[in-house]
Amino acid sequence: ESSVKRSRSRSITCRCAREKMGVGEKRARGEGQSSSGLLDEADFERIRGDLQKYDLQREKIIKTSRDVQKLGKQAIFSLHRKDFKRAEEQLDKAARTATSLLPLVEAQPTLRQGSYSNALEEWAEAKIFQHYLSEGTLMPSSKLPFCNNEEYLGGVLDFCGELNRFCVQRATARDEAAVRSCRDLVEDIMDQYLKFDFRNSQLRRKYDGLKYTLKNMETMLYELSLGAHKAGQVKTKIGAGPEPEGKRAKAEED
């Protein structure tokens, strides 16, 4: 029995000694160090935490930006239908939603690329279209404070596509003055964009479609001019009235 007690006492003593040795080793190599002492585990833990936080912020940006983009598209649809009050409400809601994301974007500038930037382009496109319908001019970038230079330029190019659809509506209504105004604005925009060097980017691809928009508008204007000319000829003939009897008889004798 005494030998069993001595054995237990030695076991407890050895265990305590090992625990003290382990604490001493941890202190020697520093908290967070790996068992081999070759790397800092705490540093990797911090990096994992930072990346997880970034992923959560990115998911929030993507989800909320989708709402901004959807509201921008709905506003454009409302503008084409001349529902200006509804378009204003949709654009205001989109602006408030985009503003709520600004603190995240400013803290992590890389989060602006992609979904958030695309949503702002959609919003800018709708705002520019709204401004044109009310003022007949291109909205300057200073009135779109949320957008950076590239987002504004992209919004202008997208707006030209909507202007082309609006131009078709006006051409159908035989509104030559409105079609001419659209053509003149796109021509001026084209003149300004020719001075940029976009290289191979999303803006470059959008810009390549601008010349086709301008060509479509010029074709519509040309066809309207032809239609007006033919209508004028018809009116002239109707206004002239029937030929006098003597003139018609002389023509038949000849």
Side-chain angles (χ1 to χ4, degrees):
E1 186 178 344
S2 60
S3 62
V4 172
K5 288 182 179 180
R6 286 196 299 271
S7 177
R8 287 179 178 174
S9 177
R10 283 196 299 271
S11 176
I12 293 171
T13 302
C14 290
R15 187 168 68 248
C16 290
R18 284 196 301 270
E19 288 175 356
K20 288 180 180 179
M21 186 180 296
V23 171
E25 287 177 354
K26 284 183 178 180
R27 287 175 179 172
R29 68 173 183 257
E31 290 296 333
Q33 292 290 333
S34 65
S35 57
S36 65
L38 298 177
L39 58 82
D40 188 346
E41 289 182 351
D43 188 40
F44 279 90
E45 186 66 29
R46 177 192 61 77
I47 293 171
R48 277 193 295 273
D50 288 347
L51 292 178
Q52 288 172 357
K53 182 180 177 182
Y54 182 86
D55 285 341
L56 289 174
Q57 292 173 337
R58 182 173 174 272
E59 288 299 321
K60 182 178 179 180
I61 291 284
I62 291 172
K63 182 179 181 299
T64 310
S65 295
R66 201 176 294 128
D67 296 335
V68 176
Q69 195 165 19
K70 183 178 179 180
L71 285 165
K73 290 181 183 296
Q74 290 173 344
I76 290 171
F77 182 73
S78 297
L79 290 169
H80 277 298
R81 298 185 57 162
K82 299 182 180 180
D83 191 350
F84 301 119
K85 183 180 179 181
R86 184 174 179 80
E88 183 69 30
E89 293 171 353
Q90 290 163 336
L91 287 171
D92 286 346
K93 185 177 180 181
R96 290 194 301 271
T97 307
T99 304
S100 70
L101 295 175
L102 274 178
L104 283 179
V105 172
E106 289 171 351
Q108 290 283 358
T110 54
L111 289 172
R112 189 181 190 101
Q113 302 169 7
S115 298
Y116 188 70
S117 186
N118 292 337
L120 285 184
E121 280 191 24
E122 191 74 36
W123 176 76
E125 174 190 356
K127 289 291 289 183
I128 294 167
F129 187 37
Q130 180 192 44
H131 180 85
Y132 177 80
L133 292 178
S134 62
E135 304 296 331
T137 60
L138 182 68
M139 176 181 274
S141 61
S142 59
K143 292 190 176 181
L144 296 168
F146 302 144
C147 300
N148 60 29
N149 290 336
E150 288 192 357
E151 289 158 359
Y152 173 74
L153 292 173
V156 170
L157 289 170
D158 290 338
F159 153 73
C160 289
E162 295 305 327
L163 197 60
N164 187 51
R165 281 183 273 277
F166 173 74
C167 200
V168 171
Q169 292 176 2
R170 301 320 306 154
T172 304
R174 316 292 305 173
D175 189 349
E176 185 177 342
V179 175
R180 189 177 299 279
S181 177
C182 294
R183 191 281 311 269
D184 290 346
L185 177 57
V186 171
E187 192 172 50
D188 287 346
I189 291 171
M190 183 77 170
D191 181 57
Q192 292 302 316
Y193 275 69
L194 284 170
K195 299 172 184 176
F196 288 96
D197 182 14
F198 293 122
R199 302 183 184 278
N200 188 21
S201 64
Q202 185 178 1
L203 274 177
R204 176 70 195 189
R205 290 188 289 274
K206 287 186 177 184
Y207 164 70
D208 287 341
L210 186 60
K211 56 180 175 287
Y212 297 109
T213 299
L214 181 59
K215 184 179 179 181
N216 287 340
M217 291 181 176
E218 288 176 339
T219 300
M220 281 186 272
L221 196 57
Y222 174 71
E223 290 175 352
L224 281 173
S225 300
L226 283 181
H229 180 68
K230 289 178 180 177
Q233 287 181 333
V234 172
K235 286 180 181 178
T236 302
K237 289 180 180 179
I238 293 173
E243 279 187 309
E245 290 292 334
K247 188 176 181 180
R248 187 184 306 134
K250 186 177 179 182
E252 290 174 356
E253 290 175 2
D254 293 340

